[in-house]
């Protein structure tokens, strides 16, 4: 199915005399076009506008005061959330356990992979790593 285009409408009498320009599809009137050097969005994007990921990261990294074993401690919100989740899992909350188990398995798998990579290193590489660790411990 073909969509018919709008027929060109004649421009004002003044423009019609000065040129043979006709207004129509993809041909806006000359007086409504952006002037050279002028932007269609003069204010531009608002400064400080953040996407969801940035807002979430900033919110979770904010510190709050928590009472821990009778005294105040400042902790980031994400650390408080993880601590609460682990404590609930220890109390037998099955939902918390189901949330934590995949992360525990991923951690264990990553540790195994690192151990395998270290075991595959040559003696020279292990000596270099040992020197690096010793230098940074002091």
């Amino acid at each position: 199915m073909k969509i018919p285009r709008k027929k060109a409408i004649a421009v004002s009498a003044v423009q019609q005399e000065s040129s043979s320009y006709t207004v129509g599809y993809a041909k806006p009137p000359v007086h409504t076009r952006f002037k050279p050097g002028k932007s269609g969005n003069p204010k531009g994007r608002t400064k400080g506008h953040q996407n969801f990921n940035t807002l979430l990261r900033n919110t979770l990294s904010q510190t709050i005061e928590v009472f821990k074993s009778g005294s105040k401690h400042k902790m980031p919100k994400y650390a408080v959330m993880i601590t609460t989740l682990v404590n609930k899992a220890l109390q037998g909350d099955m939902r918390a356990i189901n949330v934590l188990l995949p992360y525990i398995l991923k951690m264990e798998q990553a540790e195994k992979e690192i151990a395998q990579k270290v075991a595959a290193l040559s003696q020279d590489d292990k000596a270099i790593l040992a020197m690096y660790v010793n230098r940074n411990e002091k």
Side-chain angles (χ1 to χ4, degrees):
M1 182 172 152
K2 204 171 191 181
I3 300 173
R5 291 186 179 179
K6 293 182 179 181
K7 290 187 177 185
I9 302 170
V11 187
S12 67
V14 175
Q15 288 179 343
Q16 204 171 32
E17 290 174 8
S18 65
S19 68
S20 61
Y21 181 80
T22 55
V23 176
Y25 182 76
K27 294 182 179 181
V30 176
H31 71 280
T32 62
R33 292 183 191 169
F34 294 125
K35 305 296 182 253
K38 296 284 184 177
S39 171
N41 186 12
K43 289 185 180 179
R45 180 181 60 85
T46 56
K47 300 212 179 339
H49 183 74
Q50 298 175 335
N51 63 15
F52 179 80
N53 290 339
T54 306
L55 287 172
L56 183 62
R57 186 179 303 111
N58 291 343
T59 303
L60 288 175
S61 63
Q62 291 174 349
T63 58
I64 57 174
E65 286 187 355
V66 179
F67 283 98
K68 198 172 184 182
S69 60
S71 60
K72 287 184 185 179
H73 295 280
K74 286 190 175 184
M75 294 175 64
K77 289 180 181 179
Y78 69 86
V80 174
M81 289 172 57
I82 292 170
T83 304
T84 305
L85 187 64
V86 170
N87 289 340
K88 283 187 176 186
L90 289 173
Q91 292 173 357
D93 185 349
M94 287 307 293
R95 287 174 125 182
I97 292 170
N98 287 334
V99 169
L100 282 175
L101 273 179
Y103 291 105
I104 293 170
L105 294 174
K106 282 183 186 178
M107 274 187 353
E108 289 178 353
Q109 182 64 31
E111 288 172 359
K112 284 180 186 176
E113 288 174 4
I114 290 171
Q116 289 174 351
K117 288 178 182 177
V118 169
L121 291 175
S122 68
Q123 291 297 327
D124 293 337
D125 292 336
K126 287 181 182 178
I128 292 170
L129 284 175
M131 287 179 6
Y132 178 76
V133 170
N134 290 335
R135 186 180 335 151
N136 287 334
E137 285 181 352
K138 294 177 183 178

